[in-house]
Each structure stands twice: as structure tokens, then as C-alpha cells.
Amino acid sequence: MKVMKFGGTSVGKPERMQEVAQLITKDSERKIVVLSALSGTTNALVEISNSLAIGDRSAAKQRIELLHEHYKNFIQQLLVTEAARNKAEGIIAEHFEFLQIILRISFSEALNKDILAQGELMSTKLFSAYLEEKGISHELLPALEFMTIDANEEPQLGSIKVKLAQLLKKHADKNILVTQGYICRNAKGEVDNLKRGGSDYTASLVAAASNCSVCEIWTDIDGMHNNDPRIVNKTVAIEQLSFDEAAELAYFGAKILHPTCIWPAQLENVPVRLLNTMQPEAHGTVITKEAGSVGVKAVAAKDGIIAIKIKSSRMLLAYGFLRKVFEVFEKYKTSIDMITTSEVAVSVTIDSDQFLPQIIKELEPFGTVEIEKEQTIVSIVGNEIAQTDHVLQKLFESLKEVPVTMVSYGGSHHNISLLVPGTFKTKTLQLLNSGLFGL
Ligand code: ADP
Ligand code: ASP
Ligand code: MG
């Protein structure tokens, strides 16, 4: 059995969705097909939710109507028979009735999650309608029946395994199982989600939970590239990455993968393949236990970073000082990405300002606290990168014009991270593309 996950652009146009149907029927291996919402839908739902949150019902109403029109047109182009079109319009109308109801009730965080779930619910139902019209036997597995997260928002792999196995057994006669990416239930039993881009995470969890031969992530590019193709002109696809390398790239900003989606596949040693829906014959990127080669493979950037420097000539070298600093971050469930220390200061970076005022307040008794917002972490990733000849030399030679404010080297075998002001991100990525890859 294998997982095939298709992202928003892969199902975002009727003809793309039809191509997906072809891709999943190419071989006879049993498969779980994980779908995202049609491209643009989750963004639209976020806008609707935001409008409601600030009490702007008319903006929300307008956006809902626009979205409904989009779905009606989509159905006309996706399906051929009148019967199938009517049925699909009825299904979609139910979701838009829900979106009309939310205009009349009070807004809450739980309602926000319900709104965000509509995209994946609709895309999977439309895809199922298309498969039905084509006479392709399949079953729709509701993700809300098996995909759960605990009170710390961590997926419950053990329970997912059990529930998914039951569903797969119940539909043992079906070769194609279709399910929603992104959506799940939380510890309170409410509808929730795995954060933006979370369909990749669903795919990896499902592949790990059902012991799949491979987890295929189908998207709009031919694999993981050596640099961010949205920012740098000339980038190339990487043939092979280890789980560790891919996890670092995803975590440090390579948008092609959800930040934490690698661990389930890695845990169960399920290879992950990144493939291009628009160029299905391309090799893509294979992610396995083995790295394939050593040396620098790619760079990625993570924005919105906050650097916190705690200066204290008196306390820093005192026994237990770092523990006390870390405890503050632990208390506010804020994870630290980078850390550097000198004799008189310790600097850390975080990617969320949710509890920043509280964190600063609790750090102040330890020394002077300085904050720099809008920073970017640029990560250089590759197997045994720290042992690669001249890597630091090349790095700093390429970045002569960039004010690097922190460097993290040696903490991991496959990552060197730099902190630069956000305004220098594009320049840094471009300079590294020529300096490290000769591109
Ligand atoms: P999907 O909708 O299929 O989940 P995403 O938009 O989430 O697709 O991810 C694919 C996009 O990720 C690509 O179109 C590309 O612009 C972007 N991207 C950013 N960094 C990289 C990288 N290093 N390699 C490949 N794609 C990247
Ligand atoms: N639809 C969700 C999003 O846009 C999840 C995903 O596509 O992976 O973030
Ligand atoms: Mg994505």
C-alpha cells in the first residue's frame, strides 16, 4: 500500500483534478489518496474567518459568495452528466449553507477551525464525485474519524494507527481510499487542523500509521530544489536527501514540505518521494534513511524570527544560569531555534512573539535583554556538512556584504545556520546560490 498526497495546485483546476484521477489509477497498488483544498480556498477561508473575528460580516459574506461561484464553475467543468453535476452542487451547497450560518452566530476559535476545515472536506467530495462519474471504485475515509492530536497539539500516532487499521479493514474490498489532508480532531474532540501546509503532515502520518511502501507528495515542482525557487532564479532539483536533511530543510523554511512532516515517515522508515503532478515522469526527490552523498545540498530561509540577547557579566558563567534561561522558554511553550553564547551574553532565536512580553519580563532579572525582530534564519543543509572541506570559508567569502548576526555550526551534522536581518534574506540566498552551488 502507498500514500499519494496531492497539494492545492494539483487539484486547483478541474483538468488538474482529472489528471490526478489518471495518476492514481496508473498502477494497481492499494493506495490512500490524501487531498488538500483547491488552491486559494484555505486562504479565502482564513480571510472569511478574519473578517468575522473583527465583526465585518459584509466582507465575510461577499467573500463566501465569491467562493461559492468558484465552486459552481469548477463543478461545471469537472463533471459531464447533469445528474453528477446536480449531485455535486447539492453537496457543495451544504458547505456553503454552513458558511451562511456562521454569519449569524458568534465567532470563536472552535468556529474558526470549523471554517478552515471546509476546504479539504469539499475537495475530497468533489474528487469522489468525479471518480464516481468515471466509474472508478473508491471509498472516502473521513480524516475526522482517525486523525487526532493531543492537548499539546501533537499527533497521536498510536491511536491513528488503530483507527485507520479499522477503517482499512472495513473497506478491504476497496483499492483506492481518499481522505482529507490537514484536518483533524483535537483533545476536546473539536475539529482542528495540522497548521498551514499540514496535508503533507497528514500524508506522512498516514504512511507511517499504515506501514506504506512509500509516501508520495505530489506538487507543482519537480522535487526539493537547492534553493528557494520563489526567490532565486536558477535552482536545481535534488535527487536524494536523508530524512534528517529533509527535516531540517522543511523546518527551516523550504515551503515544499510542512515543517514537521518528516518525523512520522522517518520513525517507520517509509521513503518519501516529492513528485511533480505537471511532469509526472520527472525523477523528483527521494527521501530515505541514506543521504546518498555528502556536502552542501540546499539552503532554505525561515522568516519572522526574533533574536533575544541576554547580557550579564555577573550571572552568565554561574552554575545553572542557562537552565534558568531555558526554563522561561519552556514555561511559555516557545521553542528555541538557534543559540550562541559568549562569556558575557547568550543569544537565542524564537519564531513566535505570542508570549514575548512575558518572556522578556521573566528574563530581565538575569541581565539586560535586547530584542531584534524581523530576522531571518538561513540554513545551509547537507550530510556531514561540518566536515566538508572549505565550507565555512566559501560561506563567509560569499557573504562579505551581509551583516550576519549569529552563526550556529557543529550542533548538527547536517546544518549550518546563520541569522541575518530579514531585509537581507533575498541577497543572502542569491549570494549563496553562486558561492556554494556555482549557479
Ligand atoms: P502544495 O500546494 O502542493 O502543498 P506548496 O505550495 O505547499 O505546494 O509547495 C510547493 C512550492 O514550494 C513550490 O511551488 C515552490 O515555490 C516552493 N518552494 C520553496 N522552497 C522550495 C525548495 N527548496 N524546493 C522546491 N520548492 C520550494
Ligand atoms: N489547505 C491547507 C493549506 O492551504 C493544507 C495544505 O494545503 O497542506 O494550508
Ligand atoms: Mg504545501
Side-chain angles (χ1 to χ4, degrees):
M1 190 160 73
K2 69 173 171 179
V3 165
M4 296 177 85
K5 177 259 167 177
F6 296 89
T9 38
S10 304
V11 291
K13 295 215 168 90
E15 61 272 24
R16 291 269 146 74
M17 201 177 250
Q18 290 160 351
E19 281 160 24
V20 168
Q22 282 183 15
L23 285 170
I24 66 164
T25 46
K26 262 193 179 155
D27 62 62
S28 58
E29 187 172 359
R30 196 177 191 212
K31 52 191 63 91
I32 305 179
V33 179
V34 176
L35 298 189
S36 291
L38 313 193
S39 57
T41 296
T42 310
N43 285 345
L45 295 169
V46 168
E47 281 172 31
I48 291 164
S49 234
N50 289 346
S51 296
L52 286 176
I54 57 165
D56 191 347
R57 276 160 212 261
S58 87
K61 190 165 185 287
Q62 245 176 15
R63 195 68 193 85
I64 292 167
E65 276 159 16
L66 215 64
L67 195 64
H68 199 172
E69 278 311 304
H70 180 70
Y71 275 81
K72 283 183 193 160
N73 290 334
F74 193 96
I75 288 168
Q76 290 304 311
Q77 292 169 50
L78 178 73
L79 302 164
V80 182
T81 66
E82 222 31 54
R85 285 175 177 173
N86 289 341
K87 194 172 162 192
E89 277 187 7
I91 291 169
I92 293 306
E94 281 179 28
H95 290 274
F96 281 92
E97 264 164 42
F98 166 75
L99 291 175
Q100 289 299 329
I101 292 170
I102 61 164
L103 292 172
R104 300 193 290 270
I105 58 179
S106 58
F107 185 79
S108 65
E109 198 35 47
L111 185 64
N112 173 41
K113 303 287 176 59
D114 268 321
I115 296 170
L116 297 182
Q118 301 307 309
E120 272 68 14
L121 292 170
M122 291 197 286
S123 66
T124 45
K125 286 182 188 172
L126 286 180
F127 186 60
S128 173
Y130 178 70
L131 294 182
E132 200 178 306
E133 188 180 56
K134 285 272 153 192
I136 299 168
S137 169
H138 68 284
E139 189 68 41
L140 207 50
L141 301 185
L144 297 178
E145 283 184 19
F146 66 86
M147 191 56 67
T148 49
I149 53 173
D150 64 18
N152 292 320
E153 302 190 335
E154 291 297 327
Q156 296 175 301
L157 190 54
S159 138
I160 295 167
K161 264 185 196 173
V162 174
K163 289 182 185 150
L164 190 55
Q166 284 165 353
L167 285 169
L168 291 172
K169 201 168 156 204
K170 185 170 160 197
H171 302 293
D173 58 328
K174 295 289 187 334
N175 229 18
I176 296 174
L177 295 314
V178 179
T179 194
Q180 300 85 20
Y182 179 61
I183 62 173
C184 61
R185 273 192 199 281
N186 63 25
K188 291 188 228 156
E190 299 161 341
V191 173
D192 209 321
N193 62 65
L194 301 173
K195 309 263 160 62
R196 295 305 305 270
S199 296
D200 302 328
Y201 206 3
T202 303
S204 173
L205 286 161
V206 166
S210 52
N211 214 354
C212 281
S213 61
V214 60
C215 175
E216 295 180 354
I217 310 267
W218 289 82
T219 181
D220 59 358
I221 189 165
D222 58 342
M224 178 74 79
H225 279 219
N226 72 302
N227 206 329
D228 193 327
R230 294 167 301 177
I231 293 173
V232 175
N233 277 337
K234 198 159 186 291
T235 61
V236 290
I238 304 162
E239 269 190 32
Q240 191 176 349
L241 286 170
S242 68
F243 288 122
D244 289 329
E245 290 171 330
E248 302 246 16
L249 284 169
Y251 186 73
F252 287 109
K255 194 204 169 207
I256 188 170
L257 284 174
H258 175 278
T260 56
C261 78
I262 289 295
W263 74 260
Q266 181 167 24
L267 188 74
E268 298 293 335
N269 201 17
V270 180
V272 177
R273 287 200 70 179
L274 308 181
L275 294 156
N276 189 349
T277 323
M278 282 161 273
Q279 213 187 319
E281 64 296 336
H283 173 277
T285 301
V286 182
I287 304 166
T288 57
K289 219 159 133 182
E290 293 79 31
S293 59
V294 294
V296 179
K297 285 203 182 141
V299 299
K302 187 174 171 183
D303 298 321
I305 301 294
I306 302 152
I308 304 175
K309 183 182 270 187
I310 307 127
K311 275 200 220 161
S312 166
S313 49
R314 193 166 46 87
M315 302 268 297
L316 190 72
L317 291 179
Y319 177 74
F321 175 74
L322 283 178
R323 180 178 52 77
K324 284 186 206 145
V325 168
F326 289 146
E327 270 172 1
V328 174
F329 292 91
E330 194 183 343
K331 181 171 168 191
Y332 292 102
K333 289 188 179 166
T334 300
S335 68
I336 294 171
D337 285 328
M338 283 176 79
I339 164 162
T340 59
T341 60
S342 77
E343 275 184 51
V344 292
V346 50
S347 295
V348 300
T349 69
I350 58 174
D351 64 3
S352 159
D353 62 3
Q354 196 185 354
F355 298 110
L356 190 59
Q358 293 93 320
I359 289 172
I360 295 173
K361 197 159 176 250
E362 295 208 21
L363 288 175
E364 271 167 349
F366 304 142
T368 321
V369 181
E370 285 171 18
I371 306 293
E372 292 276 6
K373 290 190 178 178
E374 301 301 329
Q375 304 291 299
T376 293
I377 295 178
V378 174
S379 288
I380 298 99
V381 172
N383 187 32
E384 291 175 30
I385 194 164
Q387 291 95 299
T388 309
D389 286 346
H390 313 304
V391 68
L392 282 185
Q393 186 188 337
K394 277 192 196 165
L395 200 60
F396 289 110
E397 263 172 23
S398 346
L399 298 181
K400 271 184 206 145
E401 302 149 41
V402 178
V404 176
T405 50
M406 269 173 85
V407 180
S408 173
Y409 172 79
S412 140
H413 286 303
H414 20 257
N415 182 323
I416 300 171
S417 289
L418 312 171
L419 191 71
V420 300
T423 46
F424 278 85
K425 166 182 156 174
T426 301
K427 188 167 193 178
T428 308
L429 291 183
Q430 283 167 345
L431 289 172
L432 290 177
N433 216 43
S434 47
L436 294 180
F437 302 100
L439 291 169

